[in-house]
Amino acid sequence: MATAPEEERRGPVDDRSVRPGLAALAQGPALYDSLGLLAPAYVDEVSGYRFYRPDQLEQARLVAWLRRLGMPLARIQVVLAAGTTARTAEQVAAYWAETEAEFAARRDLAAHLISYLSEEEAAMPAAQPTLAIRYAARSDIGRHRDRNQDTAYAGQHLLAVADGMGAGGEAASAAVIEALKPLEGTLPAGSLLNAMEDAVREAGSAVRDLAAADPGTGTTLTAMLWSGSQLALVHVGDTRAYLLRAGELFQITHDHSVVQALLDEGKITPEEAESHPQRSLLLQAIDGRSATEPDVSLHDAQAGDRYLLCSDGLTTVVSTGIILDTLSAPGEPEQAVGRLIDLANEAGGPDNIACVVADVVEPGS
Ligand code: MN
């Protein structure tokens, strides 16, 4: 048996023993030192025992804790290289913030999945009392553009607005809505979100063909598929959906725009966002080039709800307060759509304007 150097003999850590707090170390010390995480001070030639210096014990404990947090080994390496305790703490905090964000995204997906699966169950036994919608849709060229690239559509089950861009923008916004229209005829029971996602994929290939002829062509899309008690919402770009419920207006889509991202990061104020020179720059659109990842969500409808789908031609010139007042005023969806388009034009009408308004009502009312 070889003799360990004096200091190791005074306080060796035999890595085959399981100590409280050092379970991970006992499980995989060879793996740790193969990654350069924890090279033993001394390895016994005969027994293969690995001896760690007492000062390595601190690091070994840290490694064990980080493993318990679920941190991958490669990331642990980064944390160990941080140097000071303060920097190590920062690294752990950063890792945890990322993990929580990732967790939140997974939680949302799980909620959608549970909701979708329960909906399928619930739809089986008896037809639930369903609600009806009354709707109106219009798109307007505005006062400064020579073409109208916005498309608005409303039907029994589908509500949609799309704001086209580039040389083929008109055709692109029309094409995505055409791709969704088959959903009107064969409304799938209990799989609204899947049906919506499939339709958006179809829409993407339609735009890919248009963009092949006219590079730079693309479109936003905000659409709702209505089942009688639930709404599946799909969203890409800076067209928006709002819900007016019990006198309050909720924006239920999140813009995929540079300005929205700057706002989210707290780099600009809402006031600065309103006049930002890059406010029309999008982070995502259906453009046939990149894989589009639309936001999808399910919403329960209530009698009395009023939905607005609109393009940025409305929201950049008409404030949320005025939109709330206009939607709250008595009248049919047709009147609300007309009034909103008039307001945008009165404010200069710098862009095309698309609006869809739909009221959720008790059947027969
Ligand atoms: Mn626009």
Side-chain angles (χ1 to χ4, degrees), residues 131 133 226 228-231 245 299-305 307 360:
L131 299 162
I133 47 169
W226 157 256
S229 60
Q230 277 197 316
L231 285 154
R245 177 176 284 177
H299 299 263
D300 284 316
Q302 292 179 12
D305 284 348
Y307 287 92
V360 178

Side-chain angles (χ1 to χ4, degrees), residues 187-208:
L187 191 66
S191 58
L192 289 184
L193 284 178
N194 285 352
M196 239 358 191
E197 283 201 303
D198 291 346
V200 170
R201 208 166 305 126
E202 288 286 307
S205 47
V207 174
R208 192 168 319 124

